[in-house]
Amino acid sequence: MGDYIVEMSHISKSFPGVKALDDVSFRLEAGEVMALLGENGAGKSTLMKVLSGVYTKDEGEIKLFGRTVEDLNPKRAQELGVSIIHQELNLCRHLTVAENIFLGREKVGAGRALKEKEMNREAADILKRLNIEIDPETLVGNLAVSKQQMVEIAKALSTNAKVLIMDEPTSALTASEIDDLFKIIRMLKSQGCGIIYISHRLEELQHIVDKVTIMRDGKYITSMNFKDTTLSEIISNMVGREIKEKFPHVLCNVGKKIFEVRNLNAGHMVRNVNFELREGEIVGIAGLMGAGRTETTRAIFGVDPKESGEILVDGREVTIRRPMDAIRAGIMLAPEDRRKDGLCVKLSVRNNISLPNLDLICNRFGVIDRRKENALTDKAVKDLAIRLASADVNAGTLSGGNQQKVVVAKWLARNSRVVIFDEPTRGIDVAAKVEIYNLMNQLKQQGIGVLFVSSEMPEIMGISDRILVMCDGKITGEFAAKGATQDLILECATKFESKVKQQEAV
Amino acid sequence: MEKREKQNPWKRLMAIRGMGQVITVAIGLLLLCIVFSMLSSSFYSERNVGNLLRQIAPILIIGIGQAYVLITGNIDLSIGSVVGMSCMISATLMTNGVPTPAALLITLVVCLFVGVLNGVLVAKWKVPPFIATLGTMTVARGVAQIVNNNYNTNAIGDKAQWFRDLFYYGNFLGLYNTIWIALVLFLVFNFLLGKTRTGRHIYAVGSNKEAAKLSGVNTDATTIIVYVVSSLCACVVGLITCAIAGMGTMDSGNMYEMYAVAAAAIGGISTFGGEGLLVGTVVGASIWGVLQNGLQFVGAPVAIRNIVIGIIVIVSVLLDVIIRSNRPRKKLKTESAAVAGDKVH
């Protein structure tokens, strides 16, 4: 392996009242993929922001390619070859791929006119080098999220980045897209780029990672060769304690049918969906991104209109036209994207939790009873062990795991029959995941039906009692958890109707 | 719980989100009053204070309406035209022999219709609020002009004197009625916004419409409600202008939608929605009124007044932006506090 291209030693960074980084050292070699791991709030992002020049360090030394660098700022970092791909995509949806790649560095010719052709050609070259099949003249907004991510990578590499920082790059990708991403990472590695890879999805590390660096509470904990360590060692280093069961599974007696969906149709993403849910079981819905799982949950909950179908709770048919109807029928939905659909980030945790429960805490004139509201929210915060200074802080200030708990807490404050979780553990750390699993088990034990959508195969297989697989808006498979394997699930998840055949028939 | 009760009142006040900014602006208001009273000895005369409050009242009322709309993340540009329409319709009816109570009722119904229309356009038909209310603004101004064939009305006459007294000239317990009207509207709408389910829904829609919808909030109805509140407030102000002049003037309420935005924004209502306290609008409207009145007292010409007020609007919101941009640090603090909590567990 090559020389160190990044050497950060004894970096400290304080914000008023808190030491975000405390004497952290970090080194990266050329041609190496380094996983930077830690729980939410461990200081990974802060460290990377120091490296990419967003924050200035208080103490310590940064060496890039062997040379000490002072006064790092984002522009300078980019010039030196450090590029960062943030968890949230930072692309202009209304511009083309090429326009995005050259944003801020547009090539201009005589009379300051843009050299569109040249930029398109160069963008095409960059994309080709990465084996990405995207027309540089497509609008970014028309691309799938995964493709947008590729554009983001192409953009980073177009600046001749030698150090590429990826923050949770796979959280929005499907299995096959992740494979594509890994191919690109391997290629970059062979070209001598150093890659810093931040992810909570530990399972995927084995495919690409050479080394791991672990942080906790703003401190450097350890660095190891990936092949010399085990996942459980990594996890215990991250959380500072052993987590015994990654997927705590509780066995319950399966009781009577509590929820049934019959022939549900809603748009082309929900076609003829049938399933049932029984007391004491967790049913997982697996599938690829875009299989229609989220759409199914939204149609059940009355967010999107249904074309046809019946929904039965405890054997009685319920009419659901709006979310309020579903809530009254005892159906709850903790949606997929918590910042987009789950939380009002400008409102307090308290107001967020009470929002769907206002009917319980208002008198008949619609006046909110503060005492009832406080009692309700304090209980929810306590039940879910949400860690916060006060329930009056803005929901947006919490860490990912705690935000997710607030989303769940909103719904558990009232009596429910069916709780639907859509990707409940996306982007949250291991310890918080286990807490969410425990919560789902608790609901199951209380006889509440739990339906849960997830793209993480090990999670689906570890937590569910029964697994449904969706593909192309239809349910294409059903397994008891014991009988399921990743291969079987994946096979069902890719059962696309052959479009070629249809054409032949015509 | 017990602990919260025991905290001192100041801390409890500051714990209300958005109160910090209101207090900052209130201090600014206080400074303005001190400056003007030093510049002009008659600024604090009993007569001027009464007049000043009476000047502030209409701005406060439309400010309340606009604040409601802004908190849901929308905007209402039709306010000024609805003021003009309310003024013209009521005066035209009264001068044409319609009994005053009936005239007021008809005016109210027409104005509320504009509110419902705005709400439906924005919520149901997804017309961007800026465009939707720009359209209704133009239409409503046209209605104001057409009701009396493009003329201002004649005097509304002696029979309507009680109406003029009720809305402007009369007083009760030493305060002009206009001030009472503003006060009552403020108390009612402040209660609605802060203490009721509808109010909570308004904040939720402004903060995250999708999340609100998924929490069972009827977001369309909420949007319609805020536009109706806004046009109700504009209607009342239109009646006040009618009462002041004793006649209907076609261009009354011109630019009021912008005054309303200014009053709300100075008082800390975020134009992005989801944030702000109605009491801030009281302070915002007061700053507006004090500047108008005070600059007039020190003899500043209208042009200078406009320039000063425009600058004040920008500076007050800019201050807020600067304060906000320092917040990420605070955010980090709470997160690390949560992490520290982690460790204890």
Side-chain angles (χ1 to χ4, degrees):
Chain A
M1 291 246 166
D3 304 320
Y4 288 116
I5 52 176
V6 175
E7 287 173 87
M8 302 175 81
S9 14
H10 308 293
I11 304 287
S12 290
K13 172 79 190 165
S14 294
F15 295 107
V18 52
K19 196 149 196 181
L21 293 177
D22 186 5
D23 195 23
V24 177
S25 297
F26 179 86
R27 292 197 293 190
L28 179 73
E29 284 175 35
E32 177 179 73
V33 179
M34 167 75 84
L36 181 57
L37 305 173
E39 288 190 281
N40 290 330
K44 297 168 299 194
S45 304
T46 314
L47 185 68
M48 289 302 108
K49 280 183 176 160
V50 170
L51 180 57
S52 57
V54 179
Y55 292 156
T56 44
K57 59 187 180 350
D58 295 343
E59 286 165 49
E61 189 189 40
I62 301 175
K63 272 189 185 176
L64 288 173
F65 310 102
R67 273 202 315 234
T68 306
V69 184
E70 289 296 330
D71 298 331
L72 204 57
N73 58 42
K75 191 150 190 209
R76 179 128 173 72
Q78 212 176 53
E79 283 163 7
L80 288 168
V82 178
S83 259
I84 184 162
I85 298 172
H86 294 279
Q87 191 172 355
E88 308 85 30
L89 298 174
N90 291 306
L91 294 172
C92 304
R93 301 174 50 81
H94 300 91
L95 300 183
T96 68
V97 171
E99 282 165 347
N100 266 292
I101 289 177
F102 285 98
L103 194 62
R105 308 175 289 115
E106 291 83 358
K107 293 183 183 285
V108 288
R112 301 195 61 76
L114 289 169
K115 290 183 177 170
E116 298 269 11
K117 271 191 197 148
E118 193 182 322
M119 286 192 284
N120 281 335
R121 203 171 49 235
E122 254 183 66
D125 282 348
I126 298 165
L127 293 169
K128 205 171 154 203
R129 244 192 305 151
L130 294 171
N131 281 329
I132 306 172
E133 280 178 39
I134 303 175
D135 178 359
E137 292 178 55
T138 6
L139 290 185
V140 163
N142 294 341
L143 295 172
V145 178
S146 56
K147 297 283 184 202
Q148 292 185 15
Q149 189 119 32
M150 304 291 175
V151 173
E152 200 60 277
I153 294 172
K155 185 178 170 183
L157 294 174
S158 71
T159 62
N160 288 320
K162 284 281 154 199
V163 177
L164 193 58
I165 305 164
M166 296 183 171
D167 193 353
E168 290 278 350
T170 55
S171 62
L173 302 187
T174 64
S176 68
E177 290 163 347
I178 291 175
D179 274 349
D180 290 343
L181 177 72
F182 286 176
K183 270 184 211 144
I184 291 176
I185 291 178
R186 284 190 205 104
M187 194 172 75
L188 294 174
K189 189 174 139 176
S190 67
Q191 292 168 358
C193 283
I195 290 161
I196 303 169
Y197 189 92
I198 301 178
S199 178
H200 286 308
R201 312 224 291 195
L202 302 179
E203 301 84 22
E204 63 192 31
L205 298 182
Q206 52 178 311
H207 302 291
I208 42 161
V209 162
D210 302 309
K211 276 189 175 175
V212 292
T213 294
I214 297 172
M215 292 181 67
R216 188 169 72 224
D217 301 333
K219 292 191 185 69
Y220 168 86
I221 300 298
T222 181
S223 259
M224 304 175 277
N225 278 324
F226 185 74
K227 60 177 191 294
D228 301 337
T229 181
T230 59
L231 275 189
S232 62
E233 191 186 355
I234 290 176
I235 293 172
S236 65
N237 271 312
M238 278 167 64
V239 297
R241 57 186 180 270
E242 293 271 350
I243 290 187
K244 286 192 194 77
E245 275 183 292
K246 217 179 137 212
F247 298 112
H249 193 251
V250 185
L251 267 185
C252 278
N253 289 326
V254 174
K256 63 180 184 351
K257 199 191 289 177
I258 46 181
F259 182 62
E260 195 177 355
V261 173
R262 287 186 196 156
N263 301 322
L264 182 68
N265 282 292
H268 59 273
M269 295 310 286
V270 184
R271 303 313 307 163
N272 230 355
V273 170
N274 284 287
F275 67 88
E276 58 181 50
L277 207 55
R278 290 175 176 277
E279 231 170 43
E281 67 171 359
I282 295 177
V283 173
I285 306 186
L288 302 177
M289 196 72 61
R293 296 167 301 166
T294 295
E295 289 80 358
T296 305
T297 62
R298 285 173 66 95
I300 292 172
F301 198 61
V303 190
D304 299 330
K306 296 182 253 304
E307 284 147 27
S308 61
E310 291 162 34
I311 291 168
L312 288 85
V313 177
D314 286 324
R316 260 202 314 264
E317 187 174 350
V318 288
T319 317
I320 298 170
R321 289 203 192 85
R322 296 178 295 138
M324 201 61 217
D325 299 333
I327 295 169
R328 291 216 180 90
I331 303 170
M332 311 294 147
L333 171 67
E336 176 181 26
D337 184 337
R338 51 183 176 267
R339 288 190 84 91
K340 182 170 150 281
D341 294 335
L343 286 179
C344 296
V345 288
K346 287 182 200 162
L347 300 188
S348 66
V349 170
R350 189 183 303 290
N351 290 359
N352 266 291
I353 294 176
S354 61
L355 189 60
N357 306 307
L358 288 176
D359 53 334
L360 304 178
I361 56 174
C362 285
N363 67 16
R364 62 203 163 95
F365 303 109
V367 180
I368 297 168
D369 185 333
R370 295 278 157 154
R371 264 211 308 253
K372 275 192 196 160
E373 180 177 26
N374 291 344
L376 177 119
T377 52
D378 289 343
K379 182 172 179 301
V381 168
K382 211 173 123 227
D383 284 353
L384 290 187
I386 304 173
R387 286 182 269 285
L388 27 77
S390 138
D392 296 310
V393 300
N394 275 6
T397 62
L398 301 182
S399 66
N402 277 319
Q403 282 187 7
Q404 187 63 44
K405 285 197 213 164
V406 173
V407 173
V408 175
K410 280 169 73 169
W411 297 111
L412 300 188
R414 62 194 297 146
N415 294 328
S416 52
R417 295 300 293 144
V418 180
V419 183
I420 305 170
F421 293 92
D422 194 356
E423 301 283 2
T425 62
R426 175 171 289 170
I428 66 177
D429 62 60
V430 189
K433 277 183 186 177
V434 173
E435 286 182 67
I436 298 274
Y437 300 144
N438 282 332
L439 189 84
M440 284 161 61
N441 283 330
Q442 230 175 352
L443 293 174
K444 168 166 115 176
Q445 282 164 317
Q446 287 164 14
I448 293 168
V450 179
L451 186 67
F452 122 92
V453 171
S454 171
S455 297
E456 285 190 50
M457 208 78 99
E459 173 178 286
I460 282 262
M461 296 179 34
I463 293 301
S464 319
D465 298 292
R466 195 147 56 82
I467 299 168
L468 303 172
V469 189
M470 280 190 79
C471 174
D472 221 10
K474 288 192 274 300
I475 291 186
T476 50
E478 181 173 347
F479 303 96
K482 277 182 204 132
T485 65
Q486 299 222 15
D487 295 352
L488 278 173
I489 292 177
L490 202 63
E491 198 189 312
C492 292
T494 50
K495 260 192 203 161
F496 289 95
E497 263 175 32
S498 169
K499 295 207 168 107
V500 184
K501 243 185 214 164
Q502 281 175 348
Q503 276 169 0
E504 275 171 8
V506 173
Chain B
M1 290 294 258
E2 295 271 313
K3 250 185 227 159
R4 193 173 303 129
E5 311 280 332
K6 275 180 202 160
Q7 275 176 357
N8 71 43
W10 174 249
K11 267 191 184 159
R12 270 172 58 191
L13 192 68
M14 290 306 288
I16 301 172
R17 54 198 41 242
M19 194 52 98
Q21 205 199 347
V22 173
I23 288 169
T24 318
V25 186
I27 292 168
L29 174 65
L30 209 66
L31 291 176
L32 272 183
C33 291
I34 293 170
V35 169
F36 281 127
S37 58
M38 287 194 305
L39 290 176
S40 162
S41 55
S42 43
F43 180 75
Y44 263 127
S45 67
E46 195 181 322
R47 203 169 132 224
N48 189 45
V49 170
N51 271 332
L52 173 61
L53 290 177
R54 200 158 54 164
Q55 274 176 4
I56 291 171
I59 300 293
L60 171 58
I61 297 171
I62 50 167
I64 291 170
Q66 189 70 278
Y68 261 64
V69 178
L70 289 176
I71 291 173
T72 60
N74 295 306
I75 193 164
D76 188 353
L77 296 181
S78 71
I79 287 180
S81 296
V82 173
V83 169
M85 202 176 81
S86 155
C87 179
M88 279 304 289
I89 291 178
S90 57
T92 306
L93 290 172
M94 284 187 247
T95 49
N96 283 300
V98 178
T100 310
L104 299 185
L105 194 67
I106 294 168
T107 309
L108 184 68
V109 169
V110 178
C111 290
L112 294 189
F113 174 75
V114 177
V116 174
L117 181 64
N118 281 334
V120 170
L121 283 173
V122 171
K124 299 261 190 210
W125 295 340
K126 317 284 178 218
V127 183
F130 196 95
I131 303 299
T133 58
L134 181 69
T136 50
M137 163 179 122
T138 316
V139 172
R141 184 61 70 191
V143 172
Q145 287 158 345
I146 216 168
V147 282
N148 200 35
N149 289 327
N150 243 334
Y151 287 106
N152 291 339
T153 69
N154 296 328
I156 51 178
D158 294 340
K159 262 195 273 175
Q161 189 56 44
W162 67 267
F163 157 74
R164 299 186 66 187
D165 290 340
L166 179 67
F167 276 83
Y168 194 73
Y169 292 99
N171 67 58
F172 177 66
L173 297 178
L175 276 181
Y176 287 117
N177 286 352
T178 316
I179 300 164
W180 282 112
I181 293 172
L183 202 62
V184 168
L185 285 177
F186 168 73
L187 289 176
V188 168
F189 285 123
N190 192 44
F191 180 81
L192 186 69
L193 192 61
K195 305 277 181 198
T196 70
R197 193 171 164 178
T198 312
R200 193 61 68 74
H201 287 178
I202 289 170
Y203 279 107
V205 168
S207 174
N208 187 342
K209 198 168 152 197
E210 199 56 29
K213 195 173 163 192
L214 285 167
S215 300
V217 174
N218 188 338
T219 53
D220 290 354
T222 307
T223 308
I224 294 172
I225 287 171
V226 295
Y227 276 108
V228 169
V229 167
S230 174
S231 57
L232 170 71
C233 291
C235 178
V236 171
V237 173
L239 296 176
I240 292 172
T241 26
C242 178
I244 296 172
M247 61 182 280
T249 42
M250 290 185 298
D251 63 351
S252 60
N254 211 0
M255 293 291 288
Y256 270 32
E257 62 280 346
M258 292 305 158
Y259 301 166
V261 174
I266 295 174
I269 306 278
S270 162
T271 47
F272 297 115
E275 286 175 298
L277 290 171
L278 213 51
V279 66
T281 307
V282 177
V283 183
S286 304
I287 286 188
W288 183 273
V290 167
L291 278 172
Q292 288 279 15
N293 179 285
L295 289 171
Q296 198 178 356
F297 251 77
V298 296
V302 178
I304 299 293
R305 270 189 259 162
N306 283 339
I307 291 171
V308 170
I309 291 172
I311 291 172
I312 294 280
V313 171
I314 293 174
V315 167
S316 60
V317 176
L318 194 64
L319 268 179
D320 186 41
V321 171
I322 292 168
I323 293 167
R324 265 163 222 265
S325 64
N326 287 333
R327 266 197 204 152
R329 294 180 189 169
K330 212 171 159 190
K331 174 183 165 182
L332 217 99
K333 214 193 273 182
T334 38
E335 259 194 36
S336 58
V339 173
D342 247 27
K343 256 187 343 194
V344 178
H345 286 271

